[in-house]
């Protein structure tokens, strides 16, 4: 029988982090025939291929660099009814797969699952830093998403048939190699909601993962760049507007960032 969940991990030049992620998957307490693991190498030039040789995974190399290309390649290869997307720098609790399987079994006609991301660090944090800067989609209760909401791309599961029906991820947006970019996750949920307004997307506080915070991200300059780019991307995904509105939007984002940094000092 085919697996229920195909776990897709897209990676680019992070063999060391990928190994830690795969180790956490290897320690899952779920039956191995219920899920499969597919590593999509986005044309890395490090030792990514060698680093996965000792793990029971399917390895595929995608020649075109980019997260959206890699994810679509993974969906094409997936044998499961559901496709899970995990970043290559997350660590899973030992019962992540079991929790996902139980949620899929107990919820009729579920279209997708998601959960929170909690940070973990391998370098000292500056005094001004707050965990809330990288906490993502942390809520108090489990619930279905409202129309227009989205899961975090580093920890989400979607019905494969639904992904195929909407044409997969938009390959013109999203990270490409080391280039900072955003929007591919929100964009695909925009299309999911248009295609299926009554989509059943369930957020579970139990379906958590731990997400590595790179040392480079612990700087004001990086955080500033991220906030500006993040704001621009989601401004355009929301329909954009005049130059005056765009400038006002950026100024608002900058003011919010300044307030956060001042309050943290």
């Amino acid at each position: 029988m085919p697996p229920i969940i195909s776990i897709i991990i897209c990676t680019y030049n992070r063999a060391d982090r990928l190994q830690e992620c795969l180790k956490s998957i290897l320690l899952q307490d779920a039956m191995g025939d219920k899920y499969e693991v597919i590593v999509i190498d986005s044309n890395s030039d490090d030792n990514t291929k060698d680093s996965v040789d000792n793990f029971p995974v399917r390895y595929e190399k995608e020649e075109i660099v980019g997260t959206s290309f890699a994810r679509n390649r993974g969906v094409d290869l997936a044998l499961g009814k559901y496709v899970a997307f995990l970043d290559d720098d997350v660590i899973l609790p030992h019962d992540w797969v079991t929790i996902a399987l139980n949620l899929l079994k107990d919820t009729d006609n579920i279209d997708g699952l998601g959960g929170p991301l909690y940070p973990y660090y391998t370098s000292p944090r500056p005094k001004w830093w707050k965990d809330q800067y990288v906490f993502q989609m942390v809520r108090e209760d489990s619930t279905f998403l409202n129309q227009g909401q989205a899961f975090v791309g580093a920890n989400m599961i979607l019905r494969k048939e639904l992904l195929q029906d909407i044409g997969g991820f938009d390959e013109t947006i999203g990270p490409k190699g080391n280039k900072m970019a955003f929007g591919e996750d929100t964009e695909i949920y925009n299309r999911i909601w248009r295609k299926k307004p009554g989509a059943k997307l369930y957020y579970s506080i139990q379906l958590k993962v731990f997400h590595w915070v790179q040392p480079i991200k612990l700087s004001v300059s990086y955080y500033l760049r991220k906030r500006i780019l993040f704001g621009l991307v989601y401004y355009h995904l929301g329909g954009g507007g005049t130059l005056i509105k765009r400038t006002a939007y950026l100024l608002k984002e900058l003011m919010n960032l300044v307030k956060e940094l001042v309050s943290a000092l």
Side-chain angles (χ1 to χ4, degrees):
M1 292 181 63
I4 297 172
I5 301 174
S6 294
I7 298 175
I8 297 174
I9 303 170
C10 302
T11 188
Y12 177 75
N13 284 350
R14 286 207 290 208
D16 54 342
R17 290 296 113 198
L18 176 62
Q19 284 192 319
E20 295 304 310
C21 176
L22 293 177
K23 287 177 184 177
S24 72
I25 296 177
L26 195 64
L27 296 175
Q28 293 298 299
D29 58 14
M31 296 291 290
D33 62 342
K34 301 296 183 181
Y35 66 101
E36 64 172 346
V37 182
I38 305 172
V39 173
I40 305 296
D41 180 355
S42 194
N43 209 8
S44 300
D45 53 22
D46 65 353
N47 63 327
T48 292
K49 187 177 187 306
D50 294 336
S51 70
V52 303
D53 282 347
N54 295 325
F55 294 95
V57 304
R58 295 165 60 192
Y59 170 90
E60 294 288 337
K61 190 165 188 176
E62 170 55 54
E63 297 297 331
I64 304 176
V65 177
T67 299
S68 293
F69 288 103
R71 284 179 172 175
N72 286 338
R73 179 75 178 277
V75 173
D76 289 341
L77 294 169
L79 300 177
K81 181 178 179 180
Y82 290 92
V83 180
F85 297 99
L86 299 172
D87 279 6
D88 58 2
D89 56 355
V90 303
I91 291 178
L92 278 60
H94 69 92
D95 56 354
W96 187 89
V97 173
T98 296
I99 290 170
L101 290 170
N102 288 337
L103 289 169
L104 293 174
K105 179 182 67 176
D106 295 340
T107 310
D108 293 335
N109 301 316
I110 193 80
D111 293 303
L113 297 172
L117 270 66
Y118 293 98
Y120 79 91
Y121 304 88
T122 55
S123 59
R125 285 163 278 178
K127 291 182 179 179
W128 58 267
W129 182 262
K130 295 181 179 180
D131 283 345
Q132 68 190 48
Y133 296 154
V134 285
F135 276 147
Q136 295 193 47
M137 208 172 185
V138 178
R139 303 181 179 186
E140 293 184 359
D141 301 305
S142 299
T143 184
F144 283 98
L145 297 189
N146 295 320
Q147 186 163 350
Q149 294 181 320
F151 294 130
V152 178
N155 181 27
M156 64 182 184
I157 303 173
L158 292 169
R159 186 188 296 272
K160 179 181 177 180
E161 184 179 16
L162 178 59
L163 278 170
Q164 293 174 322
D165 285 347
I166 62 172
F169 289 86
D170 184 341
E171 295 172 349
T172 66
I173 58 177
K176 292 180 173 61
N178 292 321
K179 180 182 177 182
M180 186 191 299
F182 305 99
E184 75 283 0
D185 300 325
T186 298
E187 192 279 333
I188 201 166
Y189 283 99
N190 289 346
R191 281 186 286 129
I192 286 175
W193 290 116
R194 287 197 297 268
K195 175 76 174 181
K196 191 174 183 181
K200 298 178 70 173
L201 303 173
Y202 189 73
Y203 170 88
S204 171
I205 58 175
Q206 295 179 302
L207 196 69
K208 63 186 177 183
V209 300
F210 298 93
H211 196 209
W212 180 52
V213 181
Q214 300 178 53
I216 193 176
K217 294 183 178 181
L218 299 173
S219 68
V220 174
S221 60
Y222 182 94
Y223 192 54
L224 179 62
R225 286 177 55 223
K226 178 181 176 181
R227 282 292 295 267
I228 292 174
L229 183 57
F230 195 84
L232 280 172
V233 167
Y234 288 94
Y235 173 79
H236 286 296
L237 286 176
T242 65
L243 179 60
I244 294 176
K245 288 184 178 180
R246 177 178 176 180
T247 303
Y249 186 91
L250 282 176
L251 288 174
K252 180 181 178 182
E253 282 293 297
L254 286 172
M255 288 300 296
N256 288 337
L257 176 59
V258 170
K259 289 178 182 178
E260 288 182 11
L261 293 177
V262 169
S263 66
L265 294 175

